[in-house]
């Protein structure tokens, strides 16, 4: 009997013999309506086979033939089983496990976090291992923190930043999620890519150092490479990943979903890890947000026309007063500090 391509792929998935290319083909099909129409009846047949196997006759009387089972059951006054999808929880559980396997692979495929080499359990072999415990490091405004991960990688977290990561990385990929700003110094491991989930972006490296900035209150995501190479995937893009090299910076707009790449001095761009704030013709709205996070203050700019100005300067471990003196002098303004509130006016 000639099998369809869909049946071939699903059977190879069940037998745990899919190649990498076949996995790509299978998971691409899950995202297409026309291909799903081929998968659906095959999955349904597999489900039915599981249910029938679980319901196979197991009578203690060996003289009773399978064909006579229904009559024998009726003669003893035992009600016949209702033949619906919902009567056999074991078959349903097995089928759900299969779908869970597909769903898990589809997640890794769409996020770029390839789990290969694949080790799938057959649906009848039991449940999957529980999820790896995760940690969350939260750095409030006005603070900074350094974190060493289980693989030896070091991450320096800037103010107002959250990072989630597993207690111990798995065998195939090292994945963390980031909200805020962090400088990564990743231990090289060619067999286990390091992946950072940043909103709509997936950043993938083998071993390098780079800075990532992704604040919820800012429209742009910035990725700056200090050493090595960095691969960036934009969700929903079918094109090849964007490759960044040393002293390149990718700026991604959340609102327009567009990006641009510029050449920079990566050491200067990430000097905040050494306590230095650097502005290079930076718009005042960005200066305001940076100071609020760095010093844990709220800034009120009374004259909105000041937002049309920009600021340039390098400040190493300076106090809030010293920083405000420099900024207000440059834009011809004054400042007032009242507790954690800073007011800037003409």
């Amino acid at each position: 009997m000639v099998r369809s391509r869909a049946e071939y792929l699903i059977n190879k998935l069940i037998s745990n013999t899919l190649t990498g290319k076949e996995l790509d083909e299978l998971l691409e099909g899950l995202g297409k309506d026309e291909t799903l129409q081929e998968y659906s009846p095959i999955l349904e047949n597999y489900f039915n086979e599981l249910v029938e196997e679980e319901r196979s006759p197991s009578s203690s009387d060996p003289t009773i033939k399978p064909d006579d089972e229904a009559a024998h059951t009726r003669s003893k006054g035992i009600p016949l089983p209702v033949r619906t999808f919902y009567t056999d929880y074991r078959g349903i559980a097995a089928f759900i496990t299969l779908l869970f396997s597909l769903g898990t692979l589809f997640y890794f495929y769409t996020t770029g976090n390839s789990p290969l080499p694949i080790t799938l359990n057959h649906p009848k072999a039991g449940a999957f291992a529980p999820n790896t415990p995760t940690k969350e490091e939260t750095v409030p405004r006005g603070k900074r923190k350094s974190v060493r991960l289980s693989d030896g990688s070091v991450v320096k977290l800037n103010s107002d930043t959250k990072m989630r990561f597993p207690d111990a990385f798995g065998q195939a990929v090292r994945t963390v999620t980031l909200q805020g700003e962090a400088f990564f110094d990743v231990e090289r491991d060619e067999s286990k890519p390091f992946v950072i989930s940043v909103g709509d972006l997936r950043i993938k490296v083998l071993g390098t150092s780079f800075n990532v900035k992704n604040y919820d209150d800012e429209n742009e995501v910035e990725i700056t490479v200090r050493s090595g190479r960095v691969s960036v995937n934009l969700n929903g893009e079918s094109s090849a990943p964007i490759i960044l090299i040393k002293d390149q910076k990718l700026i991604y707009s959340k609102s327009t979903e567009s990006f641009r790449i510029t050449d920079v001095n990566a050491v200067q761009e990430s000097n905040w890890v050494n306590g230095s704030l650097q502005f290079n013709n930076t718009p005042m709205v960005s200066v305001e947000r940076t100071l609020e996070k760095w010093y844990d203050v709220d800034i009120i700019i009374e004259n909105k026309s000041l937002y049309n100005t920009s600021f340039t300067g390098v400040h190493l471990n300076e106090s809030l007063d010293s920083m405000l003196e420099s900024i207000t002098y440059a834009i011809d303004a004054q400042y007032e500090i009242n507790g954690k509130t800073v007011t800037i006016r003409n």
Side-chain angles (χ1 to χ4, degrees):
M1 179 180 67
V2 178
R3 293 181 176 180
S4 68
R5 184 64 178 173
E7 185 176 2
Y8 167 81
L9 292 174
I10 290 174
N11 276 285
K12 290 204 70 176
L13 171 68
I14 294 167
S15 62
N16 194 24
T17 57
L18 273 176
T19 66
K21 289 184 178 180
E22 289 169 341
L23 172 65
D24 288 342
E25 181 182 350
L26 173 64
L27 296 180
E28 282 183 11
L30 291 176
K32 298 178 181 179
D33 291 340
E34 61 271 20
T35 313
L36 279 175
Q37 292 177 3
E38 296 182 48
Y39 288 154
S40 296
I42 300 169
L43 291 171
E44 183 177 345
N45 287 338
Y46 181 70
F47 174 86
N48 288 331
E49 289 175 7
L50 288 172
V51 173
E52 290 302 321
E53 287 180 20
E54 296 295 342
R55 289 181 179 150
S56 60
S58 58
S59 172
S60 58
D61 186 351
T63 63
I64 299 177
K65 298 179 181 180
D67 293 341
D68 298 331
E69 183 188 18
H72 176 75
T73 303
R74 281 194 297 268
S75 69
K76 290 191 174 186
I78 303 173
L80 285 171
V82 180
R83 298 267 178 178
T84 71
F85 284 156
Y86 307 102
T87 59
D88 195 313
Y89 69 89
R90 289 171 296 181
I92 293 173
F95 187 66
I96 290 174
T97 304
L98 171 64
L99 294 182
F100 178 78
S101 302
L102 288 168
T104 301
L105 290 172
F106 186 66
Y107 163 78
F108 282 115
Y109 180 82
T110 56
T111 59
N113 304 344
S114 174
L116 295 174
I118 306 167
T119 53
L120 282 180
N121 291 327
H122 188 278
K124 296 180 184 178
F128 288 92
N131 293 330
T132 303
T134 60
K135 295 181 179 178
E136 180 174 282
E137 287 286 352
T138 301
V139 183
R141 298 198 313 179
K143 303 290 183 181
R144 284 162 293 284
K145 186 174 185 178
S146 181
V147 177
R148 183 177 292 275
L149 304 178
S150 62
D151 66 336
S153 298
V154 176
V155 186
K156 295 185 178 180
L157 305 175
N158 204 347
S159 306
D160 197 20
T161 294
K162 293 180 181 179
M163 182 177 70
R164 296 189 67 184
F165 56 96
D167 284 340
F169 290 118
Q171 296 298 314
V173 67
R174 298 171 286 172
T175 304
V176 304
T177 62
L178 177 71
Q179 176 188 332
E181 184 171 17
F183 180 82
F184 293 84
D185 192 355
V186 176
E187 283 289 316
R188 188 168 187 83
D189 187 345
E190 295 184 2
S191 66
K192 190 184 299 184
F194 193 100
V195 177
I196 305 99
S197 177
V198 183
D200 291 337
L201 282 67
R202 299 295 179 270
I203 305 166
K204 182 177 180 180
V205 301
L206 298 178
T208 182
S209 60
F210 56 100
N211 194 82
V212 180
K213 186 179 181 182
N214 173 44
Y215 284 108
D216 287 345
D217 60 352
E218 297 183 12
N219 180 54
E220 294 180 335
V221 178
E222 299 179 0
I223 303 165
T224 307
V225 181
R226 183 183 283 194
S227 67
R229 294 160 60 90
V230 171
S231 171
V232 182
N233 282 91
L234 309 181
N235 272 3
E237 293 285 340
S238 58
S239 58
I242 303 160
I243 304 298
L244 303 176
I245 61 175
K246 179 182 177 181
D247 288 332
Q248 283 191 330
K249 177 179 181 178
L250 181 144
I251 304 171
Y252 172 79
S253 171
K254 300 175 186 177
S255 58
T256 64
E257 298 184 350
S258 61
F259 71 92
R260 65 186 188 277
I261 298 174
T262 62
D263 294 326
V264 297
N265 184 323
V267 173
Q268 292 181 359
E269 288 276 326
S270 56
N271 256 348
W272 64 265
V273 300
N274 301 317
S276 175
L277 284 180
Q278 177 170 320
F279 302 105
N280 184 17
N281 200 31
T282 306
M284 185 53 59
V285 64
S286 295
V287 174
E288 176 187 15
R289 288 170 179 162
T290 298
L291 296 184
E292 287 181 329
K293 295 178 176 69
W294 192 265
Y295 293 101
D296 188 20
V297 294
D298 295 313
I299 297 177
I300 300 172
I301 297 181
E302 290 187 344
N303 186 346
K304 303 307 178 185
S305 65
L306 292 176
Y307 284 119
N308 298 325
T309 62
S310 59
F311 181 69
T312 298
V314 179
H315 305 269
L316 178 60
N317 293 322
E318 293 189 10
S319 65
L320 176 60
D321 275 297
S322 179
M323 177 67 75
L324 291 172
E325 286 283 356
S326 298
I327 293 176
T328 54
Y329 176 80
I331 62 176
D332 192 22
Q334 294 82 41
Y335 72 91
E336 178 184 344
I337 302 177
N338 184 9
K340 287 193 173 184
T341 301
V342 175
T343 303
I344 297 177
R345 60 174 66 92
N346 289 98

